[in-house]
Amino acid sequence: MKQGAQGSAATGTPQVPEMPDAPDHRPGPPRVPPQGRVAPATDVDLGQAAPAPTVRGEHTHSEQPIPRPRPVVQRASVRGQILDALRTALVTGELTPGAVYSAPALGERFGVSATPVREAMQQLTLEGAVEVVPNRGFRVVERGARELAELAEVRALIEVPVMLRLARSVPGERWAELRPLAEATVRAASTGCRATYAESDRTFHRAVLSLCGNDQLVQIADDLHRRAQWPLVRPARPFPRGHADLIADAAEHTALLDALIAGDEDVVRSLVGEHFAGAR
C-alpha cells in the first residue's frame, strides 16, 4: 500500500516521496486532431500518415472554377494566313516596291482587322521586305540588281560546299526519294504562277540541304532564298517571269538531282552556280 507524503506518527519511520508512474511507451490509437487544425508530430505519431496541411491558395470545393483562358491559336492562325498572303503579294509584285501601305487599308482588303496585318508586317520588317514609315504604314523595300547578285553570291557560298559534300556522302537511293519534289517544281512552273513556283522551289532546296543535318544552315539558306524571290524595282528583264523562264529554272532542279544521284561533283558545281546566277 502506498503511504502518504508524511511519515507515520506511530512508528516514526520516514516515508519515501511518492514517484510518478513510468510513462507507457506502447503505441496508442492515432490522434485525430480537431477539424481544421494539424497536430504536431510526436514519437507516438511516427509511422502514422499525418493529414495534409491546408495550403493557402489551394483549390477547394467551395471555390468557383476558374474559366479557361481564351485560346490564341485562332489569332495566330489569322496572322499566319495574312503573312502568307502578304508574302505572295510581294513575290507576285502585287505589293509595289517603294509603295506605302497602311495596316487598316490592307486589313479591309483581306477582310480582317488591322492588328494581324500590323503583326504580319512587323515580321516582314524583320525579314527586310518592308520598312516602317511613321504615322503612315509600311513601305515595300526597293531592291536592285546588285542586291540580287549579292544574295546569289551568299547563297552559293553556303549551298555549293554543302551540296558537294552531300554528293560524296549521300547514297543515290536517298536522292531518288526527292524526285517527287523536283517534279513538283516543274508542275508549278507550268502554271506560270510565280508564287506557286516560289514555294515549291524553296521546298526542294530545303529538302536537299536538310540532308546535311544542320537546322541552322537550312533556316539561314531558306531566308536568303525567300529574299531572293522578291521582285526588283528595276528588273533586268521583263517582270513577271514568263512560263519559259520558270520551266527552265525548274528543269535545273531535275538535272541537279540526276547529278547528285550519279555523284558527279563537277556537274553539281556547275548546275548550282548557274541556278543561283539565273534565279530571280
Side-chain angles (χ1 to χ4, degrees):
M1 177 182 295
K2 295 182 180 178
Q3 301 295 326
Q6 295 181 356
S8 170
T11 63
T13 304
Q15 301 295 318
V16 178
E18 181 180 7
M19 299 297 293
D21 294 336
D24 186 359
H25 291 285
R26 291 176 299 173
R31 297 182 305 127
V32 180
Q35 186 175 4
R37 296 179 57 191
V38 178
T42 64
D43 293 339
V44 177
D45 297 323
L46 294 178
Q48 301 293 334
T54 301
V55 180
R56 180 173 298 179
E58 187 178 5
H59 177 74
T60 63
H61 294 289
S62 62
E63 296 178 0
Q64 294 296 327
I66 301 176
R68 292 183 298 175
R70 191 174 185 178
V72 297
V73 176
Q74 183 176 4
R75 178 174 176 179
S77 176
V78 172
R79 181 180 61 183
Q81 294 177 33
I82 296 300
L83 180 59
D84 291 340
L86 290 173
R87 283 172 171 166
T88 298
L90 282 170
V91 171
T92 59
E94 192 175 351
L95 293 180
T96 308
V100 178
Y101 300 90
S102 68
L106 289 174
E108 183 177 356
R109 173 180 175 181
F110 291 117
V112 298
S113 67
T115 299
V117 175
R118 189 174 293 108
E119 293 173 347
M121 278 295 197
Q122 289 171 351
Q123 175 60 35
L124 292 177
T125 301
L126 297 176
E127 297 177 4
V130 300
E131 56 187 7
V132 178
V133 180
N135 302 320
R136 292 186 60 192
F138 301 86
R139 176 186 290 114
V140 179
V141 173
E142 298 178 298
R143 302 168 58 249
R146 177 176 180 177
E147 181 178 350
L148 182 63
E150 291 173 350
L151 287 171
E153 181 181 3
V154 176
R155 289 185 63 198
L157 290 173
I158 293 176
E159 297 192 35
V160 172
V162 173
M163 289 188 181
L164 291 176
R165 175 163 55 88
L166 293 176
R168 294 189 295 266
S169 59
V170 177
E173 57 270 19
R174 183 66 181 89
W175 289 119
E177 295 175 2
L178 302 184
R179 179 74 65 183
L181 296 180
E183 295 173 348
T185 65
V186 176
R187 291 193 299 271
S190 66
T191 67
C193 177
R194 184 183 177 92
T196 301
Y197 177 73
E199 184 62 34
S200 63
D201 184 21
R202 289 200 317 276
T203 300
F204 174 77
H205 280 265
R206 282 197 305 267
V208 171
L209 294 177
S210 65
L211 296 179
C212 73
N214 189 328
D215 294 338
Q216 298 300 317
L217 184 147
V218 174
Q219 182 177 350
I220 292 173
D222 187 60
D223 178 66
L224 293 171
H225 195 171
R226 186 189 301 278
R227 292 171 59 186
Q229 292 173 335
W230 299 334
L232 303 178
V233 62
R234 288 181 297 277
R237 49 187 173 178
F239 176 81
R241 297 171 70 182
H243 284 195
D245 292 325
L246 296 180
I247 291 175
D249 196 73
E252 293 176 356
H253 291 155
T254 57
L256 174 62
L257 193 59
D258 290 339
L260 289 169
I261 293 175
D264 193 332
E265 297 183 29
D266 292 335
V267 176
V268 170
R269 183 183 293 103
S270 176
L271 286 173
V272 174
E274 293 175 1
H275 189 70
F276 289 153
R280 266 208 41 230

